[in-house]
Amino acid sequence: MKKPEWVIEKERAKRAAAAETLWLFGLHAVRDALMNPARVKLRLVLTKNAADKLAEAIAAGGLEPEILEPRKFDTQVPLGPDQVHQGAALEVKPLDWGKLADVALTGEGLPLVVLLDRVTDPHNVGAILRSAEVFGARAVVAPARHSAPETGALAKTASGALERQPYLRITNLADAMGELRDMGYVLIGLAGEATMTLAEGLAEVGTRPVAIVLGAEGPGLREKTRETCDHLVRIPFGGAFGSLNVSNAAAVALYAASSGRGGA
């Protein structure tokens, strides 16, 4: 019996995911990945200077480094010319954080989740992961398509948070939002034109779990995402005109949400 096309496609995607690797670079990103027992590590390439600085992490990571002369580094590691690697690069498998329900219900941290609607800039996502870790969120969630995947640039911006802060890339954002609502989460979307402020929205939520939903800069939340939110809120500004990029807006919202839940 011939397999249905959707089964074939699912198996193909699973094989592709299993084969996927990425290069992390920079002293902080490589150190934190080496120290993470959950990270599958494949190849470590260092200059002598970087190896001296990472001696403790190398011992913990259990991977023998390849030591290269600085002038030969760029010829052996597939990094872009604008990527500041500091003489350290590590090939790894993407992290597997498991199912959304497991992380959102019983994960470490506050009952607080961040949902990203087509935020594709790895620097923004890296900064959001860093803020999510600082303010104790359980997860950052984004669709597998039209979102920033794990990359070296994302890891470098996250400054180690990628190794500790769950970053789940799911199939369908609206379905994930519905799943979170069934778990008791209240979905709060940030939209500049909303009449309700962030503080007012959080006051209505009280002590219930919160999922903060953020859209890409420019287009913002898609219509389907907006319709799925329980509340749309805005961050008020002191001047006649004000705007924040998505990573700054996430930091403000995470601080506000965590303040009423035993956080900062």
Side-chain angles (χ1 to χ4, degrees):
M1 181 177 177
K2 187 178 180 181
K3 292 181 181 178
E5 186 61 34
W6 69 270
V7 173
I8 296 172
E9 184 59 34
K10 187 175 181 180
E11 291 175 348
R12 186 181 296 121
K14 190 174 182 180
R15 287 194 299 271
E20 182 184 356
T21 69
L22 64 141
W23 282 93
L24 305 179
F25 57 87
L27 292 173
H28 282 102
V30 170
R31 177 185 289 113
D32 286 309
L34 286 171
M35 300 291 285
N36 182 3
R39 176 70 84 172
V40 177
K41 311 162 191 75
L42 303 173
R43 185 183 174 202
L44 176 61
V45 183
L46 304 169
T47 62
K48 176 65 169 60
N49 185 45
D52 291 341
K53 293 178 180 178
L54 295 173
E56 183 179 349
I58 294 169
L63 186 63
E64 187 69 25
E66 301 172 35
I67 306 299
L68 297 179
E69 293 292 329
R71 58 189 176 82
K72 294 183 178 179
F73 197 93
D74 292 337
T75 66
Q76 297 298 312
V77 180
L79 299 177
D82 59 339
Q83 294 175 327
V84 183
H85 53 69
Q86 300 173 292
L90 176 65
E91 187 181 15
V92 298
K93 293 274 191 180
L95 287 166
D96 181 5
W97 291 101
K99 296 180 180 179
L100 175 59
D102 296 335
V103 176
L105 282 175
T106 59
E108 294 182 9
L110 304 170
L112 177 60
V113 171
V114 178
L115 295 160
L116 303 179
D117 186 11
R118 298 198 176 196
V119 179
T120 58
D121 186 333
H123 299 94
N124 275 331
V125 175
I128 290 168
L129 285 168
R130 193 172 182 180
S131 295
E133 181 184 27
V134 167
F135 294 115
R138 286 186 179 164
V140 176
V141 181
R145 297 180 62 191
H146 307 295
S147 69
E150 280 192 45
T151 62
L154 188 153
K156 200 167 193 299
T157 307
S159 192
L162 180 63
E163 303 302 321
R164 300 178 294 270
Q165 177 62 50
Y167 179 42
L168 281 69
R169 299 179 68 225
I170 42 81
T171 303
N172 184 282
L173 189 65
D175 289 348
M177 292 171 73
E179 189 178 349
L180 285 167
R181 181 183 286 115
D182 291 342
M183 296 179 213
Y185 278 78
V186 181
L187 306 167
I188 294 184
L190 266 64
E193 73 282 3
T195 56
M196 181 183 288
T197 67
L198 174 61
E200 291 167 345
L202 290 172
E204 284 205 14
V205 172
T207 59
R208 287 175 291 171
V210 172
I212 298 168
V213 191
L214 299 121
E217 291 176 39
L221 299 174
R222 289 174 297 154
E223 184 176 353
K224 176 67 173 176
T225 307
R226 294 166 66 93
E227 292 172 352
T228 311
C229 288
D230 297 309
H231 303 291
L232 292 177
V233 303
R234 60 181 171 83
I235 297 174
F237 299 102
F241 174 81
S243 65
L244 294 171
N245 72 16
V246 65
S247 61
N248 288 333
V252 171
L254 281 163
Y255 171 74
S258 66
S259 296
R261 287 168 172 73

